[in-house]
Short mmCIF file of all heavy atoms in Angstrom, two decimals:
data_model
loop_
_atom_site.label_atom_id
_atom_site.label_comp_id
_atom_site.label_asym_id
_atom_site.label_seq_id
_atom_site.Cartn_x
_atom_site.Cartn_y
_atom_site.Cartn_z
N GLY P 267 121.83 -27.95 -189.77
CA GLY P 267 123.04 -28.38 -190.28
C GLY P 267 123.27 -29.79 -190.70
O GLY P 267 122.18 -30.46 -190.57
N ALA P 268 124.37 -30.27 -191.10
CA ALA P 268 124.51 -31.62 -191.40
C ALA P 268 124.31 -32.51 -190.26
O ALA P 268 124.68 -32.26 -189.07
CB ALA P 268 125.81 -31.83 -192.17
N TYR P 269 123.72 -33.72 -190.36
CA TYR P 269 123.67 -34.61 -189.33
C TYR P 269 123.85 -36.11 -189.78
O TYR P 269 123.62 -36.31 -190.92
CB TYR P 269 122.42 -34.54 -188.50
CG TYR P 269 121.11 -34.92 -189.11
CD1 TYR P 269 120.77 -36.31 -189.15
CD2 TYR P 269 120.35 -33.96 -189.70
CE1 TYR P 269 119.53 -36.72 -189.77
CE2 TYR P 269 119.14 -34.50 -190.34
CZ TYR P 269 118.71 -35.67 -190.32
OH TYR P 269 117.61 -36.27 -190.87
N ARG P 270 124.34 -36.87 -189.01
CA ARG P 270 124.45 -38.37 -189.21
C ARG P 270 123.53 -39.06 -188.55
O ARG P 270 123.28 -38.96 -187.33
CB ARG P 270 125.96 -38.74 -188.91
CG ARG P 270 126.22 -40.14 -189.18
CD ARG P 270 127.71 -40.48 -188.79
NE ARG P 270 127.80 -40.55 -187.42
CZ ARG P 270 128.57 -39.84 -186.71
NH1 ARG P 270 129.05 -38.71 -187.38
NH2 ARG P 270 128.79 -39.86 -185.38
N GLN P 271 122.94 -40.10 -189.18
CA GLN P 271 121.92 -40.96 -188.40
C GLN P 271 122.62 -42.33 -188.22
O GLN P 271 123.08 -42.85 -189.11
CB GLN P 271 120.59 -41.13 -189.41
CG GLN P 271 119.66 -42.00 -188.68
CD GLN P 271 118.34 -41.99 -189.42
OE1 GLN P 271 117.80 -40.92 -189.63
NE2 GLN P 271 117.83 -43.15 -189.84
N ARG P 272 122.44 -42.73 -187.08
CA ARG P 272 123.00 -44.07 -186.53
C ARG P 272 121.96 -44.88 -186.11
O ARG P 272 121.12 -44.46 -185.41
CB ARG P 272 124.09 -43.81 -185.50
CG ARG P 272 124.74 -45.16 -185.04
CD ARG P 272 125.81 -44.85 -184.01
NE ARG P 272 125.14 -44.28 -182.77
CZ ARG P 272 125.91 -43.49 -181.98
NH1 ARG P 272 127.22 -43.24 -182.18
NH2 ARG P 272 125.34 -43.04 -180.75
N THR P 273 121.86 -46.15 -186.62
CA THR P 273 120.82 -47.10 -186.25
C THR P 273 121.29 -48.07 -185.24
O THR P 273 122.44 -48.59 -185.39
CB THR P 273 120.16 -47.66 -187.42
OG1 THR P 273 121.10 -48.40 -188.09
CG2 THR P 273 119.46 -46.54 -188.31
N GLY P 274 120.48 -48.51 -184.38
CA GLY P 274 120.82 -49.58 -183.46
C GLY P 274 119.60 -50.26 -183.06
O GLY P 274 118.70 -50.63 -183.99
N GLY P 275 119.31 -50.73 -181.81
CA GLY P 275 118.23 -51.35 -181.48
C GLY P 275 117.03 -50.48 -181.60
O GLY P 275 115.95 -51.02 -181.86
N THR P 276 117.14 -49.28 -181.33
CA THR P 276 116.21 -48.33 -181.55
C THR P 276 116.77 -47.28 -182.41
O THR P 276 117.92 -46.95 -182.36
CB THR P 276 115.47 -47.56 -180.29
OG1 THR P 276 116.61 -47.15 -179.57
CG2 THR P 276 114.75 -48.68 -179.58
N ARG P 277 116.01 -46.43 -183.16
CA ARG P 277 116.46 -45.48 -183.95
C ARG P 277 117.04 -44.30 -183.13
O ARG P 277 116.32 -43.86 -182.25
CB ARG P 277 115.44 -44.97 -185.04
CG ARG P 277 115.97 -43.96 -186.05
CD ARG P 277 114.86 -43.79 -187.08
NE ARG P 277 113.74 -43.12 -186.45
CZ ARG P 277 113.32 -41.90 -186.82
NH1 ARG P 277 113.97 -41.22 -187.82
NH2 ARG P 277 112.23 -41.41 -186.22
N GLN P 278 118.26 -43.77 -183.49
CA GLN P 278 118.84 -42.72 -182.83
C GLN P 278 119.44 -41.79 -183.77
O GLN P 278 120.36 -42.15 -184.57
CB GLN P 278 119.84 -43.22 -181.69
CG GLN P 278 120.55 -42.01 -180.85
CD GLN P 278 121.46 -42.49 -180.01
OE1 GLN P 278 121.86 -43.68 -180.09
NE2 GLN P 278 121.91 -41.72 -179.09
N LYS P 279 119.19 -40.55 -183.77
CA LYS P 279 119.88 -39.66 -184.52
C LYS P 279 121.14 -38.99 -183.82
O LYS P 279 120.87 -38.50 -182.68
CB LYS P 279 118.86 -38.50 -185.05
CG LYS P 279 117.71 -38.97 -185.96
CD LYS P 279 116.91 -37.83 -186.32
CE LYS P 279 115.73 -38.32 -187.22
NZ LYS P 279 114.83 -37.28 -187.59
N CYS P 280 122.01 -38.89 -184.42
CA CYS P 280 123.22 -38.19 -183.90
C CYS P 280 123.42 -36.91 -184.77
O CYS P 280 123.93 -36.91 -185.80
CB CYS P 280 124.53 -39.15 -183.98
SG CYS P 280 124.28 -40.64 -183.11
N LEU P 281 123.14 -35.84 -184.00
CA LEU P 281 123.20 -34.55 -184.74
C LEU P 281 124.53 -33.94 -184.80
O LEU P 281 125.18 -33.86 -183.75
CB LEU P 281 122.19 -33.61 -184.12
CG LEU P 281 120.72 -34.20 -184.26
CD1 LEU P 281 119.81 -33.20 -183.27
CD2 LEU P 281 120.23 -34.20 -185.47
N GLU P 282 125.03 -33.60 -186.02
CA GLU P 282 126.31 -33.01 -186.07
C GLU P 282 126.11 -31.68 -186.72
O GLU P 282 125.48 -31.54 -187.84
CB GLU P 282 127.24 -33.90 -187.00
CG GLU P 282 127.43 -35.29 -186.63
CD GLU P 282 128.64 -35.32 -185.63
OE1 GLU P 282 129.30 -34.34 -185.48
OE2 GLU P 282 128.71 -36.42 -185.06
N PRO P 283 126.56 -30.48 -186.16
CA PRO P 283 127.49 -30.47 -185.18
C PRO P 283 126.88 -30.26 -183.69
O PRO P 283 127.58 -30.03 -182.78
CB PRO P 283 128.28 -29.24 -185.39
CG PRO P 283 127.47 -28.30 -186.03
CD PRO P 283 126.50 -29.28 -186.79
N ALA P 284 125.59 -30.55 -183.63
CA ALA P 284 124.89 -30.22 -182.43
C ALA P 284 125.45 -31.10 -181.18
O ALA P 284 125.54 -30.53 -180.15
CB ALA P 284 123.35 -30.53 -182.49
N VAL P 285 125.79 -32.35 -181.46
CA VAL P 285 126.20 -33.26 -180.46
C VAL P 285 127.41 -32.64 -179.69
O VAL P 285 127.56 -32.53 -178.51
CB VAL P 285 126.50 -34.52 -181.03
CG1 VAL P 285 127.17 -35.49 -180.00
CG2 VAL P 285 125.24 -35.24 -181.33
N SER P 286 128.47 -32.14 -180.51
CA SER P 286 129.63 -31.69 -179.91
C SER P 286 129.27 -30.30 -179.19
O SER P 286 129.83 -29.96 -178.14
CB SER P 286 130.71 -31.46 -181.11
OG SER P 286 130.22 -30.48 -182.05
N LYS P 287 128.52 -29.49 -179.78
CA LYS P 287 128.27 -28.23 -179.01
C LYS P 287 127.40 -28.45 -177.76
O LYS P 287 127.42 -27.70 -176.88
CB LYS P 287 127.38 -27.38 -180.05
CG LYS P 287 128.39 -26.83 -181.19
CD LYS P 287 127.64 -25.63 -181.86
CE LYS P 287 128.57 -25.13 -182.95
NZ LYS P 287 127.98 -23.99 -183.56
N CYS P 288 126.62 -29.59 -177.84
CA CYS P 288 125.69 -29.72 -176.53
C CYS P 288 126.60 -30.30 -175.48
O CYS P 288 126.31 -30.37 -174.32
CB CYS P 288 124.67 -30.87 -176.89
SG CYS P 288 123.35 -30.25 -177.97
N GLY P 289 127.92 -30.90 -175.82
CA GLY P 289 128.65 -31.43 -174.77
C GLY P 289 128.35 -32.90 -174.63
O GLY P 289 128.87 -33.58 -173.71
N VAL P 290 127.54 -33.50 -175.46
CA VAL P 290 127.23 -34.97 -175.43
C VAL P 290 128.32 -35.84 -175.57
O VAL P 290 128.60 -36.95 -175.16
CB VAL P 290 125.96 -35.35 -176.25
CG1 VAL P 290 125.74 -36.73 -176.18
CG2 VAL P 290 124.74 -34.52 -175.96
N GLY P 291 129.38 -35.35 -176.43
CA GLY P 291 130.45 -35.98 -176.71
C GLY P 291 131.48 -36.02 -175.59
O GLY P 291 132.62 -36.75 -175.54
N SER P 292 131.20 -35.29 -174.48
CA SER P 292 132.04 -35.21 -173.35
C SER P 292 131.63 -36.27 -172.24
O SER P 292 130.46 -36.34 -171.83
CB SER P 292 131.99 -33.78 -172.64
OG SER P 292 132.52 -33.91 -171.39
N ASP P 293 132.64 -37.10 -171.81
CA ASP P 293 132.11 -37.99 -170.89
C ASP P 293 131.71 -37.60 -169.62
O ASP P 293 130.69 -38.08 -169.00
CB ASP P 293 133.26 -39.02 -170.55
CG ASP P 293 133.86 -39.85 -171.75
OD1 ASP P 293 132.89 -40.23 -172.68
OD2 ASP P 293 134.93 -40.37 -171.80
N ASP P 294 132.25 -36.46 -169.15
CA ASP P 294 131.81 -35.85 -167.80
C ASP P 294 130.47 -35.36 -168.01
O ASP P 294 129.55 -35.52 -167.10
CB ASP P 294 132.82 -34.72 -167.42
CG ASP P 294 134.24 -35.26 -166.98
OD1 ASP P 294 134.27 -36.46 -166.61
OD2 ASP P 294 135.21 -34.67 -167.04
N MET P 295 130.23 -34.65 -169.07
CA MET P 295 128.82 -34.00 -169.24
C MET P 295 127.78 -35.02 -169.42
O MET P 295 126.74 -34.90 -168.92
CB MET P 295 128.89 -32.98 -170.38
CG MET P 295 129.40 -31.61 -170.06
SD MET P 295 128.85 -30.22 -171.08
CE MET P 295 127.15 -30.23 -170.66
N LEU P 296 128.13 -36.07 -170.12
CA LEU P 296 127.16 -37.16 -170.41
C LEU P 296 126.95 -37.97 -169.05
O LEU P 296 125.71 -38.22 -168.74
CB LEU P 296 127.79 -38.16 -171.39
CG LEU P 296 126.83 -39.36 -171.86
CD1 LEU P 296 125.54 -38.84 -172.40
CD2 LEU P 296 127.56 -40.24 -172.74
N ARG P 297 127.92 -38.10 -168.31
CA ARG P 297 127.67 -38.74 -166.86
C ARG P 297 126.74 -37.77 -165.99
O ARG P 297 125.80 -38.32 -165.39
CB ARG P 297 129.12 -38.88 -166.22
CG ARG P 297 128.88 -39.81 -164.96
CD ARG P 297 130.31 -40.10 -164.43
NE ARG P 297 131.23 -40.74 -165.46
CZ ARG P 297 132.27 -40.11 -166.00
NH1 ARG P 297 132.60 -38.92 -165.72
NH2 ARG P 297 132.96 -40.88 -166.74
N GLN P 298 127.01 -36.45 -166.08
CA GLN P 298 126.24 -35.68 -165.18
C GLN P 298 124.78 -35.52 -165.87
O GLN P 298 123.83 -35.60 -164.98
CB GLN P 298 126.78 -34.18 -165.22
CG GLN P 298 128.14 -34.04 -164.60
CD GLN P 298 128.69 -32.71 -164.78
OE1 GLN P 298 128.12 -31.82 -165.17
NE2 GLN P 298 129.91 -32.55 -164.36
#
């Protein structure tokens, strides 16, 4: 599906809609 690429100190792909489905967007799941 479509994804957005975000760049920073190192290259990081932010996959949409995979990120939301993975729960990475959730603070609690990311913390765990």
Side-chain angles (χ1 to χ4, degrees):
Y269 69 85
R270 180 178 70 249
Q271 180 169 308
R272 181 176 62 202
T273 57
T276 56
R277 189 171 62 119
Q278 178 183 14
K279 293 180 180 176
C280 296
L281 301 170
E282 302 275 348
V285 169
S286 60
K287 290 193 176 183
C288 293
V290 177
S292 162
D293 289 342
D294 288 338
M295 284 207 59
L296 182 59
R297 189 176 301 109
Q298 293 174 14

